Amino acid sequence: DMQIIQDFEEYQKSRSAFAQTVAELAARPQNTNDLIAQGVLDELEELLDDPVPSIKMSATVGLARVLSNSEALADEVSKRGLVKVFVKLLSDTGAYEKKVGAFALRSIAKHSEALAQSVFDAKGMEGLHSCLSHDDGSVREIAASALGQLAKYSIEQAQSLNHQGVTQQLVDCMAKEQDSGPKREALAALTEIAKHNESLADSIMDKGAGLYLIKFVSDGNVFIRRQSCACLAQVAKHGSMSASRVPEETIQKLIECIKDPDILVRRNAVTGIREIIKHEEQANK
């Protein structure tokens, strides 16, 4: 019957239009509270498993954008067991699906240690880890960014990244990466890992990060310079910049950064120099 076919087509069109509209509205943070008040989670939850892939993806993007701006909604998503829905996308064959999944996980993990743990519990770290070796640079970039959020809150969570080989892969990604996006996010994630304690900072340096961090403080990209100086500062804070681990020209390179036109590069460089000198003085006492 043509009428039945038409009715179903109309229903599909309306689901598609709704999911796309919400995704567009959710791109503006000022719409977050209104979307939540209208019950956005209830409306989108059933579309997360829609048989039409484009509707499913629009719904996931829309929800991930709202989650990024609302810790309360992220808590609710975690309570409803929806984190695993996003983790499942990481094993999809399509690059776009992997990106959307990683974006959703980052949007949840960023808010708190408990929410980051919900991503670990749903095996999200393993999925993100595998995305670090994907052919598509934008998949590697968002995966590294999400892993940085998983490393942010606690020593235990950062250590589990280290034990699972993620830290080594982030160092490799930073060192060999041609695209500036994944390189920047790998550096940012390493900075989050290094900040926690001496043993994590040591492990980053022992995995060969030192030479590259020094090289990248004079990179042509300002974000790479900022992040390299920030990472060096965090490593230096724990006294992990011992002569055996970093080249002698480290301080000299950081001093050159004080002339950088970017204030954050200058500030991070000054912090790094101060920490290295402080630890050297303590060692020589």
Short mmCIF file of all heavy atoms in Angstrom, two decimals, residues 83-84 87 105 117-126:
data_model
loop_
_atom_site.label_atom_id
_atom_site.label_comp_id
_atom_site.label_asym_id
_atom_site.label_seq_id
_atom_site.Cartn_x
_atom_site.Cartn_y
_atom_site.Cartn_z
N VAL A 83 26.93 5.15 28.19
CA VAL A 83 28.34 5.35 27.81
C VAL A 83 28.78 4.26 26.83
O VAL A 83 29.49 4.52 25.86
CB VAL A 83 29.26 5.38 29.06
CG1 VAL A 83 30.72 5.56 28.65
CG2 VAL A 83 28.84 6.52 30.00
N LYS A 84 28.32 3.04 27.07
CA LYS A 84 28.74 1.93 26.19
C LYS A 84 28.23 2.08 24.76
O LYS A 84 28.82 1.55 23.82
CB LYS A 84 28.33 0.59 26.78
CG LYS A 84 26.84 0.35 26.94
CD LYS A 84 26.60 -1.05 27.53
CE LYS A 84 25.11 -1.38 27.62
NZ LYS A 84 24.41 -0.56 28.63
N VAL A 87 30.95 4.06 23.22
CA VAL A 87 32.16 3.23 23.10
C VAL A 87 32.04 2.31 21.88
O VAL A 87 33.00 2.10 21.14
CB VAL A 87 32.40 2.41 24.39
CG1 VAL A 87 33.56 1.41 24.19
CG2 VAL A 87 32.72 3.33 25.56
N LEU A 105 32.53 10.64 24.25
CA LEU A 105 33.25 10.19 25.44
C LEU A 105 34.05 11.33 26.08
O LEU A 105 34.10 11.45 27.31
CB LEU A 105 34.18 9.02 25.09
CG LEU A 105 33.47 7.73 24.65
CD1 LEU A 105 34.49 6.68 24.23
CD2 LEU A 105 32.56 7.18 25.75
N GLN A 117 35.73 7.84 35.10
CA GLN A 117 35.74 6.42 35.47
C GLN A 117 34.66 5.64 34.73
O GLN A 117 34.85 4.48 34.36
CB GLN A 117 35.56 6.27 37.00
CG GLN A 117 35.81 4.86 37.52
CD GLN A 117 37.21 4.35 37.17
OE1 GLN A 117 38.20 5.04 37.34
NE2 GLN A 117 37.29 3.12 36.65
N SER A 118 33.52 6.30 34.48
CA SER A 118 32.44 5.61 33.75
C SER A 118 32.88 5.26 32.32
O SER A 118 32.45 4.25 31.77
CB SER A 118 31.16 6.45 33.74
OG SER A 118 31.25 7.52 32.81
N VAL A 119 33.77 6.08 31.77
CA VAL A 119 34.31 5.78 30.43
C VAL A 119 35.30 4.62 30.52
O VAL A 119 35.28 3.72 29.67
CB VAL A 119 34.97 7.05 29.80
CG1 VAL A 119 35.64 6.70 28.47
CG2 VAL A 119 33.93 8.14 29.60
N PHE A 120 36.14 4.61 31.56
CA PHE A 120 37.04 3.47 31.78
C PHE A 120 36.24 2.18 31.94
O PHE A 120 36.55 1.16 31.33
CB PHE A 120 37.89 3.67 33.04
CG PHE A 120 39.12 4.52 32.86
CD1 PHE A 120 39.13 5.84 33.29
CD2 PHE A 120 40.26 3.99 32.28
CE1 PHE A 120 40.27 6.63 33.13
CE2 PHE A 120 41.41 4.77 32.12
CZ PHE A 120 41.41 6.08 32.54
N ASP A 121 35.18 2.26 32.77
CA ASP A 121 34.38 1.06 33.08
C ASP A 121 33.71 0.48 31.84
O ASP A 121 33.47 -0.73 31.77
CB ASP A 121 33.32 1.38 34.14
CG ASP A 121 33.95 1.73 35.49
OD1 ASP A 121 35.15 1.42 35.68
OD2 ASP A 121 33.26 2.33 36.34
N ALA A 122 33.38 1.35 30.88
CA ALA A 122 32.72 0.89 29.64
C ALA A 122 33.74 0.49 28.57
O ALA A 122 33.39 0.32 27.41
CB ALA A 122 31.80 1.98 29.11
N LYS A 123 35.01 0.35 28.99
CA LYS A 123 36.11 -0.03 28.06
C LYS A 123 36.40 1.05 27.00
O LYS A 123 36.86 0.75 25.90
CB LYS A 123 35.81 -1.36 27.36
CG LYS A 123 35.60 -2.54 28.30
CD LYS A 123 36.93 -3.08 28.80
CE LYS A 123 36.78 -4.36 29.60
NZ LYS A 123 36.33 -4.17 30.98
N GLY A 124 36.10 2.30 27.39
CA GLY A 124 36.33 3.41 26.46
C GLY A 124 37.80 3.68 26.20
O GLY A 124 38.18 4.06 25.10
N MET A 125 38.64 3.48 27.23
CA MET A 125 40.07 3.74 27.05
C MET A 125 40.65 2.85 25.95
O MET A 125 41.40 3.31 25.10
CB MET A 125 40.84 3.51 28.35
CG MET A 125 42.33 3.71 28.19
SD MET A 125 43.29 3.13 29.60
CE MET A 125 43.09 1.39 29.47
N GLU A 126 40.27 1.56 25.97
CA GLU A 126 40.80 0.63 24.96
C GLU A 126 40.38 1.05 23.55
O GLU A 126 41.18 1.01 22.62
CB GLU A 126 40.31 -0.79 25.25
CG GLU A 126 40.91 -1.41 26.52
CD GLU A 126 40.17 -1.05 27.80
OE1 GLU A 126 39.39 -0.07 27.82
OE2 GLU A 126 40.38 -1.75 28.81
#
